[in-house]
Amino acid sequence: MAVPMTTVSTQRFSSQLLANLLKSRNETNIKRIIMLTPNRTLTYITDGRKTSSDFGLFFDIDGVITRGKMLLPHSKTAFKLLVDDCKKFKIPTIFVTNAGNSMRQSKANHLSQLLDIQIDADQVIMSHSPLRMFRQLLDKHMLVSGQGPTEEIAKFVGFSKVTTLEQFRHCFPKLDTNDYKRRKAAPCALEEFFPKIEGIVLFGEPVSWETSLQIIIDVLISDGRPSKALPYIPYPHLPILACNMDFVWMAEAPMPRFGHGCFMTCLETLYKKLTNNTLQYTAKLGKPSEITYHYAEHVLQTIALKMKKPPVKTMYCIGDNPATDIYGANLFNRRIQRLTDKRRKQPFIYELGKDSSSSSFSSSEQKKTSLDCLENDLNIYDMLSRDEPSISNVILDKCESILVCTGVFDKTRAKIRTEEHVMDESMCHPTFATVHNVQEAVQAVLERERML
């Protein structure tokens, strides 16, 4: 519905006229009038509706917009509220998924087709997108696990030397004995000369879990050279970067499906049983990791800059999984609220050697010089801002979370435990609203921001 506007010719006017105008407006609009009329000259005032936005939208995909390959009801209607007549976004918007089995462009094309709007690859953040920040590992020989074009994805984010688990299995046929049909008696001639694996990237759940678990553990306990056994168990082990911690996710089935978090739990349990050591991740990426939300904020601020919008001060995160989408957004918001105004203007150091739930920031003077893969520090804002230095000091005022009931969370279905990393159950409750679907979520945000 159109919002009425009062227009007053630009002129000098009396204090009584200004007082009469202020009586008919709310407090927010009074501030806008005073700001626009420091010399008591008024051009126009608006009744209730904002003329520009200082907020951005962060959408999960599976369980919010889609279920598997199926577009959820209300999704198209929701996004019609966010685009103009040319089907371009009016508000800075990003799509953040824990999926890691495709390229950003492919995901953007798929969403564009489903929603019948223009979505750019720059608006899409996959669970592996922040990997490009790990510059100290990009030139290492990495073993990559997952589905889809894993080699292409790894090279796209910056890794120069990549071997997929399938390629590795062919080079070391004796390691894969779970499937009788694939057993080979003769060893590969290249085994002894195969370059050492220097790190592992887990993009997502593989197809053959038993093969992947066996080979990854072989690589870890052989220090990257599984052609022969070592007289000791190397520890700390090789660096591991894990993307997507979702224990479960929603597809077309009525109940949640196993996610990469389940595979990671299997890997951790087997490694502990075999070595009596705890598997250590160099970093866990994807929601609810705070590093993903920092990266998402940077992308959102960059989009706002390109749209010639003001810096984003409030990021609304819309998701279906309380233990990843909501928990991660609330952790990030707590981090924001704990920062003083002075520290918000300084670069931060993110400690990658710790889990995201216990990670901390410190001042730039505390940055270590060591590039030890298990205990190195990453200056996020230095790395994220190397191409856009003008937004390096822009920090959100708050991050709001909104829970929809079309995915993992469903009041009508028996509750199952979905994550082990949740340390505080209260952080799994949305700060803004619980709504039925994505359309209600968008409407609630626009109403609060006075854009409807």
Side-chain angles (χ1 to χ4, degrees), residues 18-248:
L18 179 60
N20 291 337
L21 288 167
L22 296 184
K23 284 181 182 179
S24 64
R25 267 79 189 171
N26 58 32
E27 183 180 352
T28 303
N29 280 331
I30 290 174
K31 292 178 182 178
R32 180 179 292 275
I33 291 169
I34 293 173
M35 180 182 69
L36 290 173
T37 60
N39 61 353
R40 298 173 66 179
T41 299
L42 182 67
T43 301
Y44 69 90
I45 53 177
T46 61
D47 289 337
R49 189 171 184 176
K50 276 188 177 180
T51 56
S52 64
S53 60
D54 59 358
F55 68 96
L57 293 167
F58 169 125
F59 288 94
D60 181 29
I61 298 175
D62 291 313
V64 175
I65 301 171
T66 62
R67 284 274 292 269
K69 296 181 180 180
M70 177 184 69
L71 184 69
L72 284 168
H74 308 289
S75 293
K76 275 192 175 182
T77 308
F79 283 93
K80 284 181 180 178
L81 298 172
L82 302 176
V83 297
D84 58 22
D85 294 337
C86 297
K87 299 183 179 181
K88 293 187 177 181
F89 282 91
K90 300 181 290 185
I91 296 166
T93 301
I94 56 175
F95 300 83
V96 185
T97 175
N98 271 355
N101 59 352
S102 65
M103 303 284 283
R104 289 187 308 155
Q105 188 64 63
S106 298
K107 183 66 72 172
N109 292 342
H110 180 61
L111 286 173
S112 297
Q113 185 177 9
L114 286 177
L115 296 170
D116 191 28
I117 57 177
Q118 180 59 47
I119 297 173
D120 297 328
D122 291 342
Q123 292 178 264
V124 176
I125 298 176
M126 311 294 290
S127 62
H128 52 70
S129 295
L131 283 172
R132 64 184 71 250
M133 297 188 300
F134 292 78
R135 291 181 288 179
Q136 70 276 17
L137 293 177
L138 295 181
D139 62 346
K140 305 295 184 183
H141 184 200
M142 306 297 284
L143 177 68
V144 298
S145 168
Q147 299 182 47
T150 52
E151 183 176 10
E152 183 182 359
I153 293 169
K155 290 182 177 179
F156 180 78
V157 298
F159 291 104
S160 56
K161 292 176 279 188
V162 177
T163 297
T164 68
L165 200 135
E166 188 69 14
Q167 292 166 345
F168 194 83
R169 182 180 70 81
H170 285 295
C171 291
F172 292 86
K174 291 185 294 185
L175 301 182
D176 183 24
T177 59
N178 292 287
D179 188 341
Y180 288 95
K181 296 177 182 178
R182 292 205 302 229
R183 286 189 181 184
K184 294 182 180 180
C188 176
L190 298 176
E191 284 186 8
E192 196 172 334
F193 306 99
F194 195 87
K196 177 186 175 181
I197 296 295
E198 299 172 287
I200 298 171
V201 180
L202 306 177
F203 281 115
E205 61 271 24
V207 175
S208 301
W209 285 31
E210 72 287 347
T211 296
S212 299
L213 291 167
Q214 179 72 74
I215 290 178
I216 290 170
I217 289 177
D218 285 340
V219 169
L220 292 174
I221 64 177
S222 66
D223 201 29
R225 296 183 185 275
S227 56
K228 56 184 178 181
L230 297 177
Y232 61 92
I233 301 294
Y235 197 80
H237 54 66
L238 297 172
I240 305 177
L241 299 171
C243 307
N244 183 1
M245 292 175 276
D246 277 348
F247 205 70
V248 295

